[in-house]
Amino acid sequence: MKEKRWIIATPEREKVQQLKNQFNQFDEALCTIFVSRGLDNAEKLQEYFRPDYSLLHNPFLMKDMQLAVERILAAINSGEKLVLFGDYDVDGTTAVATLYRFLTSVYEEANIFYYIPDRHEEGYGISRKGIAFAKTIGASLFISLDCGITAIEEAELIKEKNIDLIICDHHLPGDALPIATAILNPKQPGCSYPYKELSGCGVAFKLITALSRALKTEETSVYKYLDLVATSIGADIVPITGENRVLSQLGLEVINTSPATGLKALINTTEKKGAIDMYFISFLIAPRINAAGRLSHAKIAVELLLENDPVKAAGLAEQLNQFNNERKQLDETITKEALDILVGDKSFARKKTTVIYCDQWHKGVIGIVASRLIENYYRPTIVLTKDGDLITGSARSVSGFDLHKAISHCSTHLEKFGGHKAAAGLSMIPENYDEFASHFEAIVSETITEESLSPKIYIDAIINLEDITFDLFHTISSMEPFGPGNYKPVFASMHILPSNWTRIVGDKHVRFHFNIPGMKGINGIAFNMKDKFEAIAQNTFIDIAFTIDENVWNGNSSLQLKIIDFRASQSL
């Protein structure tokens, strides 16, 4: 693995000092973190630490919201049939479940249908099978969720079937927009909605908020659906800033007090004890929901999220749990196979990309494998497998590189592609594989910077070990929920000497202990860093980058460091 470059935040010292003078309870390290995140005055800190429903924007500020509401209400008043079409990932399935739960509370359930495409047979986006389903059941309104913004041809087909289309999406639009009755997407041209980074389920939530206002129902009645909105935010890795921070914080409150029956059943499969946070959602709940579409069909996830019977919900949740266990085994096996192939490729070391293909790999996990390969070889990565007559793949990028743009330059070799800067999907005929791989390598080599090929750790503040206290930990904890745009603060301590109690534990990990003069020492754990530790001479001063965690053992609570990286000391 490549050595990581440490980027230490350097906010304006004057602003840090002003904040420290204004708030005596915050030390310099905390004030440094706040200023780095734009929280440089009392008003911003108030909104940040106390997110409230009053901070949610008026849904009618979103372009076409009035049109969407009017069309849905017209459908309800005239007894029309509606189809909710959602993507097969967490964001799409939670968006469908959220809108379905609301609509069935104000309209006859017999007239509301949902359709989730088969990941393997239909692929991403509005599918022809989904459109045919809508026509077969006699639907006159088709609502796409977490997809549709680039569905030009599919929108034309829906129109030909005399079905109206409402698009709810949050992905970047193309040069042209589909023909639709209404398009709800804060990223579309001409949309003045103040916050642009909503998840797909977040857009669906704004729609049900607008519908509740139009129906003159108590707006607070829609807040119970925030459990799924928070789940989508944690899963889809959208920034937890602005309105998303409010939605995720309030959604976590619902999850921890009165979650939907199906979501509660899924949580129970993890044997989780204590409060649910965004880390738990991102790394334990989201993979279970996604596993349905990866190994079977994502409609099972929607069935679970809509199920009100605890016994039935428990059965569906266990299905997803088993799918996730199978997914983890496939992920591990395929990642090892891919790494073995790359080690045997003599030309690989000279390349700026990783493009790898095996016709036997499971399509449902190749995106995860691409992310694993980036952990080992930090470069734009595409993992491909056979899918019928085509080769299909998932692509993942590195920080600061526009992957979607690079793939678009190679589009002449592709049948289909889509995505965004950080991730994409693509397909091609087998005969085009070699030309595509060569062209993609050439494009990336011409445009990527050495800086983008170097993994980075962003350090929020440098701190002395003796300044790590429970007061500091509790303030950091109050900064949750953490995620993109609001990551858990990372600290660095320089030129420190591990004590003789430091040792290797298990096969891969290092348990550190650091003495603090005049105080009780502090422990740290560095996962999967045995080789790195053995490469550093004993009795060597080191620099460490870490987050601060609480460790509870036998009823006793202590602070410990979760060490992200360490290196031979570069400071004196």
Side-chain angles (χ1 to χ4, degrees):
M1 294 186 184
K2 285 191 174 183
E3 286 295 312
K4 298 178 176 67
R5 193 156 61 93
W6 293 19
I7 310 296
I8 299 172
T10 55
E12 293 182 39
R13 302 309 308 164
E14 184 178 344
K15 287 186 176 182
V16 173
Q17 192 59 49
Q18 287 175 352
L19 203 63
K20 189 171 182 295
N21 293 339
Q22 187 175 1
F23 297 96
N24 293 327
Q25 71 268 36
F26 297 144
D27 63 16
E28 186 164 331
L30 281 171
C31 291
T32 298
I33 294 169
F34 297 151
V35 173
S36 295
R37 299 184 185 204
L39 307 171
D40 54 7
N41 61 46
E43 182 182 355
K44 291 177 181 178
L45 284 169
Q46 171 79 10
E47 289 187 2
Y48 178 83
F49 280 107
R50 294 178 181 167
D52 182 78
Y53 294 107
S54 64
L55 298 175
L56 298 177
H57 302 302
N58 183 342
F60 287 100
L61 294 174
M62 194 174 293
K63 184 179 180 182
D64 285 0
M65 183 62 79
Q66 185 66 43
L67 293 173
V69 168
E70 289 175 357
R71 181 61 188 89
I72 292 171
L73 293 182
I76 291 174
N77 291 332
S78 58
E80 299 176 49
K81 292 181 178 179
L82 290 68
V83 168
L84 314 184
F85 182 102
D87 188 27
Y88 43 69
D89 68 0
V90 179
D91 201 11
T93 52
T94 54
V96 167
T98 296
L99 185 54
Y100 188 94
R101 286 167 68 189
F102 175 80
L103 288 177
T104 53
S105 72
V106 298
Y107 188 40
E108 294 178 23
E109 188 170 0
N111 286 331
I112 307 170
F113 301 80
Y114 63 83
Y115 187 96
I116 308 294
D118 186 291
R119 181 185 193 117
H120 309 292
E121 293 183 4
E122 297 168 73
Y124 171 77
I126 298 176
S127 67
R128 290 180 176 269
K129 281 190 176 182
I131 298 170
F133 170 79
K135 185 64 177 177
T136 299
I137 64 164
S140 52
L141 180 58
F142 189 106
I143 304 175
S144 72
L145 296 146
D146 191 36
C147 61
I149 195 63
T150 59
I152 306 295
E153 293 180 8
E154 292 80 3
E156 289 280 1
L157 181 58
I158 290 171
K159 183 180 178 182
E160 289 174 11
K161 303 288 186 184
N162 294 316
I163 301 172
D164 288 339
L165 171 64
I166 294 174
I167 294 171
C168 300
D169 203 352
H170 69 127
H171 295 99
L172 286 170
D175 295 333
L177 294 176
I179 296 173
T181 299
I183 297 177
L184 304 181
N185 185 335
K187 293 188 178 81
Q188 69 173 305
C191 183
S192 58
Y193 192 75
Y195 189 72
K196 303 296 183 182
E197 301 299 331
L198 293 170
S199 65
C201 187
V203 175
F205 179 76
K206 302 310 293 191
L207 174 58
I208 68 172
T209 305
L211 284 166
S212 72
R213 289 188 182 186
L215 290 167
K216 297 187 177 358
T217 58
E218 189 66 39
E219 189 169 312
T220 56
S221 65
V222 303
Y223 296 159
K224 63 186 176 185
Y225 304 117
L226 284 172
D227 54 351
L228 298 190
V229 178
T231 300
S232 76
I233 291 170
D236 216 52
I237 318 183
V238 292
I240 303 186
T241 58
E243 192 167 30
N244 275 347
R245 178 170 171 79
V246 180
L247 292 169
S248 55
Q249 176 67 43
L250 300 175
L252 283 172
E253 292 177 9
V254 178
I255 291 173
N256 281 290
T257 55
S258 54
T261 303
L263 186 58
K264 183 177 181 180
L266 198 58
I267 292 169
N268 288 341
T269 66
T270 70
E271 300 181 356
K272 167 71 174 177
K273 293 180 176 63
I276 307 298
D277 58 17
M278 291 305 277
Y279 180 90
F280 177 84
I281 294 295
S282 299
F283 292 98
L284 289 169
I285 294 302
R288 284 168 165 77
I289 297 175
N290 271 330
R294 294 185 188 281
L295 271 72
S296 181
H297 199 295
K299 67 183 180 183
I300 301 172
V302 179
E303 290 172 9
L304 170 64
L305 297 175
L306 295 177
E307 183 56 64
N308 292 318
D309 183 313
V311 176
K312 291 180 181 178
L316 290 167
E318 186 52 38
Q319 280 190 55
L320 297 196
N321 192 41
Q322 290 301 320
F323 288 145
N324 191 50
N325 289 335
E326 292 176 36
R327 186 275 305 167
K328 286 190 284 189
Q329 292 176 350
L330 282 169
D331 166 15
E332 184 177 336
T333 299
I334 295 173
T335 297
K336 184 180 183 305
E337 290 176 1
L339 289 171
D340 288 344
I341 291 171
L342 295 175
V343 168
D345 183 354
K346 295 180 180 179
S347 66
F348 179 67
R350 300 191 300 271
K351 294 180 179 178
K352 299 290 178 68
T353 65
T354 301
V355 182
I356 187 168
Y357 165 65
C358 175
D359 60 8
Q360 298 300 310
W361 287 341
H362 195 290
K363 180 182 175 184
V365 301
I366 54 176
I368 301 171
V369 173
S371 297
R372 299 275 188 263
L373 295 183
I374 286 179
E375 293 173 6
N376 286 269
Y377 302 101
Y378 196 75
R379 57 183 76 176
T381 297
I382 302 177
V383 179
L384 300 127
T385 188
K386 193 73 178 296
D387 182 28
D389 295 329
L390 297 175
I391 289 175
T392 188
S394 290
R396 298 293 184 269
S397 193
V398 294
S399 178
F401 184 73
D402 190 335
L403 178 72
H404 186 271
K405 186 176 181 180
I407 293 175
S408 69
H409 285 297
C410 309
S411 59
T412 54
H413 310 295
L414 302 176
E415 296 297 300
K416 190 176 180 182
F417 76 97
H420 48 80
K421 290 181 179 181
L426 64 160
S427 61
M428 68 191 80
I429 60 173
E431 294 86 342
N432 286 356
Y433 170 72
D434 289 335
E435 287 185 6
F436 169 79
S438 177
H439 194 180
F440 183 67
E441 168 68 21
I443 290 294
V444 173
S445 297
E446 290 171 6
T447 56
I448 200 166
T449 63
E450 285 302 318
E451 183 179 344
S452 289
L453 289 168
S454 175
K456 305 169 189 65
I457 294 177
Y458 292 94
I459 311 291
D460 288 276
I462 296 175
I463 191 171
N464 296 319
L465 293 182
E466 56 264 32
D467 294 329
I468 298 173
T469 64
F470 267 102
D471 284 343
L472 174 65
F473 172 74
H474 290 145
T475 303
I476 292 169
S477 298
S478 66
M479 295 173 66
E480 294 193 40
F482 294 126
N486 187 51
Y487 284 111
K488 188 173 185 177
V490 175
F491 297 94
S493 290
M494 307 299 193
H495 201 67
I496 56 177
L497 186 66
S499 79
N500 292 333
W501 291 98
T502 295
R503 64 193 186 279
I504 294 170
V505 294
D507 295 329
K508 304 176 182 178
H509 318 309
V510 183
R511 170 72 70 181
F512 282 94
H513 180 79
F514 303 104
N515 292 322
I516 303 175
M519 299 175 65
K520 185 179 179 181
I522 191 166
N523 292 322
I525 183 72
F527 292 109
N528 301 311
M529 295 191 196
K530 172 189 172 185
D531 294 344
K532 188 179 182 75
F533 178 69
E534 291 179 332
I536 293 178
Q538 289 186 349
N539 300 318
T540 297
F541 284 88
I542 63 173
D543 302 335
I544 57 173
F546 57 88
T547 59
I548 304 171
D549 289 342
E550 183 178 18
N551 183 42
V552 179
W553 179 255
N554 288 335
N556 297 315
S557 180
S558 62
L559 296 178
Q560 73 171 4
L561 313 181
K562 182 178 179 182
I563 296 177
I564 300 170
D565 196 22
F566 60 91
R567 64 191 184 187
S569 186
Q570 299 179 7
S571 59
L572 297 174

